[in-house]
Amino acid sequence: MPPRSDEFGRLLKAGINSIANCEGTTAPAIEDAIGEQIGLTGYTIQRYKAGHIPPETRTIKLLAE
């Protein structure tokens, strides 16, 4: 089973919601845009929001940025 962190998911969700609010769009639209920029699907971003930890350190860093 992949590693999980509720704190990681909570922080990622809060960041995505904040961006969506500032840009006047929806969280799924932001998830798709982030995913496209870093080579992931919006569905994968949603899994990470649920607390699943990305397997690559690079992905974690990109999501944090």
Side-chain angles (χ1 to χ4, degrees), residues 2-57:
R4 290 183 43 85
S5 168
D6 290 336
E7 181 72 2
F8 178 80
R10 185 187 67 74
L11 290 170
L12 182 59
K13 182 177 182 176
I16 289 171
N17 287 340
S18 178
I19 293 167
N21 188 41
C22 286
E23 294 190 5
T25 189
T26 64
I30 298 301
E31 293 160 9
D32 287 339
I34 291 171
E36 187 175 311
Q37 288 180 349
I38 63 175
L40 301 170
T41 65
Y43 173 77
T44 301
I45 302 291
Q46 290 174 2
R47 284 183 40 85
Y48 297 154
K49 280 178 39 179
H52 295 276
I53 301 294
E56 299 176 345
T57 303

